[in-house]
Amino acid sequence: MALDGIVTRAVADELQACVGARIHKIHQPSPHDLVLQIRGGGIQGRLLLSANPTYPRVHWSEQSFVNPMEAPMFCMLMRKYCEGAVIEAVRQVGNERILHLDVRQRDELGDTFQKRIVIELMGRHSNIILLDAATETIHDGIHHVTPSISSFRVVMPGTAYVSPPEQGKRDPFSILNEQEFTDALHAAGTALLHPPMPDEDSIHFGTAPKAVPAESLTPDKLIVAAFSGLSPLLAKEIVYRGTAGEAPITLPNGLDELQLTSGTLWPIFNELMTQFRTRKYEPQIVALSGGSGKSAFSVTALTHLSGDTSAFATVSACLEAFYGDKAQRDTVKQRVSDLIRFLQNERNKNEKKVEKLEETLREAREADKFRILGELLTASLHAVQRGDTSVELANYYEEDMPLVTITLDPQLTPSQNAQRLFKKYAKFRNSQTVVAEQMELAEREIQYLASLLQQLDSASLADIEEIREELVDQGYMRQRVKRGAKKKKPKQPALLCYTSSEGLPIYVGKNNTQNDFLTNKVAGPNDTWLHTKDIPGSHVVIRGNAFNDSTLEEAAMLAAQFSQARSSSMVPVDYTLIRHVKKPSGAKPGFVIYDHQKTLFITPDEQRLKDLPSQIKI
């Protein structure tokens, strides 16, 4: 489910702890996200503000973010007005998915000014907007909304801020008794059954509200239509708690028996709202049973769902666990679609090349046939005339001397036909070595392309650019021509570093550039190197030689997790000392040979790996 008003309320309550703290640093790791480093007042951490169209959210984050070499314009603006600013207030607007962060800052002359960061968590309309708090003039938004996109509200520098349009719903926290609850449900149901007369614009643009049939007005739909900030998931939970007891109740649809519906649901509704008013939240994620892979989260128990439930101490921990790297993976998928298509096409070409070479090799292995035919023809030149298209001769190389038919070129003399067969024999005999070499090269190419496809499967945005540069350097792709100043390449790639349960650093190379740098430059001769056996994957290095089985297991799990076998069990992982790992001269990036290895079989434990601290080291 998406964030609703109740979850947003829980987030706002949790963020009250950062009132009085300062915004130390601001980064914009992606076009949709801002990361504020907050310090002071006993609080220190990274606050993620995301206007991602699919995964909008606000929460404290333990995740490591890779920032672009040059900060985007909106990030520079935020730094100008908000870096070093004191957070004076955090509040939710009504019960909507809108948060306001009021900050106070001093300019170069020492004068105080106040700004407001507005975070609108509204699906594809999500936005992060910086305002002047006094005049509510927009400085800028992370997403621009021009008049051509919306005539109701424009988000552009210098325009006045207009709040998102009201939905006409009641604030659930303003409902104090059963009668008000009933009236709200009745008003919402009536509006759905008898929508107001549409204006000309809504008719013209096809947005006029349409009446719904009474039988479609289920109790949970009435709750969603009546109250702001209540999602369908929470509405279903209210209905389930009210009707699923020792004697289950079935509530009618529509408005005819609304007193029964409201009388049944009001105690549960009031109990939940009282719980939320007093900041009693129960953040949890339910992994739905049935093998669909789907899950849902809320800040109260979801008793109507069946599945494995995970409870969290804070709403931030719940949101981070739920969203994980979903947003980053989606962005990566969009960025790598052209690379994946290119690599798959190249792999298909090489696979077809191998098929043709195998056919040529099979023919070449029959080279002796042409030699024998040539010798048979040479011994019987007197029996052949120029102009013959074929001749039938006894094969005296076999015991029973069977007759064989030799096809002839009528334009050639018998002697020339014999020489043609000997030339074919020489050609096929000599080609065996060449074809075998070509097949080996094509097989290596397929392995190399498979390794790149595997790397893209777990790549971050920074990893993608390194893979693209590698393809350019290897001559597979042309350099993208961009306008403006050329960006400087970093001197060395950033590496993902985990800390084992024993406190040892475990480095992971997520692409060939990082693999080469890690294995050939970073690692020492007595460090331990790991890689999945005969499976495309990452180079993994344990720095240091004094460790126990737990560190070795964790490093092997990382090697399996960052490989093509990440979803498999009992994955074979080779490990040896770095001094036994060599890169052959002229080999493809990331390719090494090694010896003195041992092999262990490991099944990746995703939760155990998530619990390991990790960071990007440059």
Side-chain angles (χ1 to χ4, degrees):
M1 64 165 278
L3 271 158
D4 63 8
I6 299 299
V7 176
T8 307
R9 181 186 182 91
V11 172
D13 286 341
E14 187 175 302
L15 295 186
Q16 296 307 315
C18 66
V19 172
R22 289 186 183 274
I23 300 174
H24 180 64
K25 292 285 185 183
I26 299 176
H27 298 287
Q28 187 177 343
S30 80
H32 309 297
D33 303 334
L34 277 181
V35 177
L36 312 183
Q37 291 189 12
I38 310 295
R39 289 185 183 178
I43 295 294
Q44 182 170 338
R46 288 186 288 266
L47 181 62
L48 172 65
L49 316 179
S50 178
N52 186 292
T54 311
Y55 307 111
R57 62 208 187 277
V58 174
H59 58 79
W60 295 105
S61 178
E62 298 293 331
Q63 186 179 345
S64 296
F65 297 92
V66 178
N67 300 305
M69 297 294 290
E70 295 180 11
M73 290 299 295
F74 184 69
C75 180
M76 297 296 287
L77 183 79
M78 289 292 296
R79 288 175 178 176
K80 176 182 177 182
Y81 288 113
C82 300
E83 260 191 7
V86 176
I87 300 173
E88 291 200 318
V90 179
R91 62 180 179 277
Q92 181 186 20
V93 177
N95 198 45
E96 300 293 346
R97 292 167 295 168
I98 304 173
L99 290 173
H100 286 181
L101 270 67
D102 288 346
V103 301
R104 174 172 46 82
Q105 175 66 294
R106 290 184 181 274
D107 60 18
E108 294 85 351
L109 300 176
D111 297 330
T112 301
F113 60 84
Q114 291 185 317
K115 302 297 175 186
R116 178 171 299 150
I117 305 169
V118 179
I119 308 110
E120 300 172 349
L121 307 172
M122 297 183 170
R124 61 190 181 91
H125 302 295
S126 299
N127 214 335
I128 302 170
I129 305 168
L130 181 64
L131 312 177
D132 181 88
T135 63
E136 294 205 338
T137 301
I138 295 174
H139 288 298
D140 206 352
I142 202 165
H143 300 151
H144 287 172
V145 181
T146 63
S148 62
I149 298 173
S150 171
S151 58
F152 177 78
R153 64 194 299 257
V154 175
V155 179
M156 293 290 287
T159 59
Y161 175 73
V162 177
S163 298
E166 292 284 340
Q167 294 179 300
K169 297 181 180 183
R170 295 284 300 274
D171 183 346
F173 295 100
S174 68
I175 305 299
L176 302 177
N177 55 58
E178 184 179 335
Q179 186 57 50
E180 289 183 5
F181 181 68
T182 305
D183 292 344
L185 293 180
H186 187 272
T190 302
L192 290 172
L193 293 172
H194 309 290
M197 188 69 67
D199 54 30
E200 292 182 6
D201 284 345
S202 62
I203 294 173
H204 176 74
F205 290 107
T207 58
K210 294 180 181 179
V212 300
E215 59 271 18
S216 71
L217 292 181
T218 57
D220 57 296
K221 287 184 178 178
L222 282 174
I223 291 173
V224 172
F227 302 108
S228 65
L230 299 191
S231 64
L233 184 74
L234 191 55
K236 287 177 182 176
E237 177 64 24
I238 292 170
V239 174
Y240 179 80
R241 292 189 192 183
T243 57
E246 293 181 2
I249 304 170
T250 301
L251 295 176
N253 296 345
L255 302 178
D256 292 341
E257 298 181 57
L258 192 59
Q259 289 296 335
L260 172 61
T261 299
S262 60
T264 304
L265 300 182
W266 163 248
I268 304 299
F269 178 89
N270 186 45
E271 179 187 339
L272 272 178
M273 294 308 113
T274 302
Q275 177 184 325
F276 297 146
R277 280 191 195 97
T278 55
R279 298 186 179 184
K280 293 180 181 177
Y281 303 110
E282 303 171 48
Q284 60 179 246
I285 297 173
V286 179
L288 304 183
S289 55
S292 64
K294 294 183 178 179
S295 56
F297 73 89
S298 187
V299 289
T300 188
L302 297 173
T303 58
H304 74 286
L305 297 179
S306 59
D308 294 331
T309 300
S310 302
F312 297 88
T314 65
V315 66
S316 284
C318 178
L319 292 176
E320 184 145 67
F322 180 81
Y323 288 108
D325 60 352
K326 287 186 177 75
Q328 184 178 353
R329 294 306 315 153
D330 273 16
T331 306
V332 167
K333 281 180 183 177
Q334 294 170 10
R335 297 276 185 92
V336 303
S337 58
D338 64 322
L339 281 180
I340 290 175
R341 191 163 51 250
F342 172 79
L343 292 172
Q344 286 173 339
N345 289 339
E346 288 294 312
R347 186 177 61 180
N348 292 340
K349 286 179 191 175
N350 279 279
E351 286 172 348
K352 288 178 182 177
K353 183 179 179 181
V354 168
E355 289 176 10
K356 290 181 180 178
L357 289 170
E358 284 176 344
E359 186 179 341
T360 305
L361 197 57
R362 279 194 298 271
E363 291 177 353
R365 285 168 183 159
E366 298 175 0
D368 273 352
K369 178 181 74 173
F370 296 105
R371 179 183 60 79
I372 291 169
L373 292 177
E375 290 179 354
L376 293 176
L377 185 58
T378 301
S380 304
L381 290 177
H382 61 279
V384 185
Q385 301 294 323
R386 184 169 188 159
D388 290 348
T389 57
S390 65
V391 64
E392 201 171 62
L393 300 172
N395 184 359
Y396 49 77
Y397 284 97
E398 297 187 23
E399 286 185 12
D400 53 355
M401 296 181 65
L403 293 175
V404 293
T405 301
I406 302 174
T407 303
L408 302 173
D409 185 342
Q411 303 295 323
L412 302 177
T413 65
S415 178
Q416 288 173 330
N417 270 299
Q419 290 303 312
R420 183 169 67 93
L421 291 169
F422 285 127
K423 283 180 181 178
K424 272 191 175 182
Y425 160 69
K427 176 186 174 184
F428 282 129
R429 183 193 62 192
N430 296 333
S431 69
Q432 286 190 50
T433 305
V434 177
V435 170
E437 289 175 356
Q438 289 294 318
M439 282 185 65
E440 187 179 350
L441 288 173
E443 292 286 0
R444 285 183 187 173
E445 197 79 358
I446 291 169
Q447 291 175 5
Y448 173 64
L449 296 168
S451 71
L452 290 176
L453 285 167
Q454 176 271 319
Q455 290 162 12
L456 287 174
D457 188 49
S458 59
S460 66
L461 293 174
D463 299 331
I464 295 168
E465 292 309 311
E466 289 177 347
I467 293 171
R468 196 183 293 276
E469 287 171 8
E470 178 185 331
L471 288 169
V472 171
D473 293 340
Q474 293 295 310
Y476 288 91
M477 302 179 75
R478 291 183 179 179
Q479 180 72 51
R480 285 180 170 180
V481 179
K482 294 183 180 179
R483 294 181 180 178
K486 189 176 180 180
K487 291 183 182 179
K488 290 183 179 178
K489 288 185 183 180
K491 292 181 180 179
Q492 59 188 45
L495 294 174
L496 176 59
C497 180
Y498 287 84
T499 302
S500 76
S501 53
E502 296 181 78
L504 271 76
I506 305 174
Y507 286 85
V508 178
K510 294 178 67 182
N511 57 47
N512 289 327
T513 302
Q514 295 176 19
N515 287 337
D516 281 346
F517 179 67
L518 171 59
T519 300
N520 302 320
K521 302 290 185 184
V522 174
N526 292 320
D527 291 340
T528 301
W529 181 91
L530 302 94
H531 194 283
T532 43
K533 182 180 179 65
D534 300 327
I535 299 170
S538 294
H539 295 199
V540 176
V541 171
I542 305 172
R543 297 301 311 273
N545 50 18
F547 54 84
N548 295 324
D549 288 346
S550 58
T551 294
L552 184 61
E553 283 178 7
E554 287 156 1
M557 282 185 187
L558 287 169
Q561 181 70 15
F562 288 93
S563 78
Q564 209 171 62
R566 64 189 305 172
S567 301
S568 305
S569 57
M570 299 304 288
V571 181
V573 177
D574 285 342
Y575 65 97
T576 187
L577 296 179
I578 280 288
R579 64 169 174 264
H580 301 309
V581 181
K582 301 289 185 291
K583 184 178 180 66
S585 178
K588 292 279 189 185
F591 181 80
V592 294
I593 55 175
Y594 55 92
D595 51 30
H596 293 78
Q597 74 272 19
K598 295 179 181 178
T599 304
L600 58 84
F601 293 84
I602 200 81
T603 300
D605 184 341
E606 197 168 338
Q607 189 55 51
R608 184 173 172 183
L609 295 180
K610 279 184 178 178
D611 292 340
L612 295 179
S614 65
Q615 59 179 317
I616 303 295
K617 288 196 173 182
I618 300 175

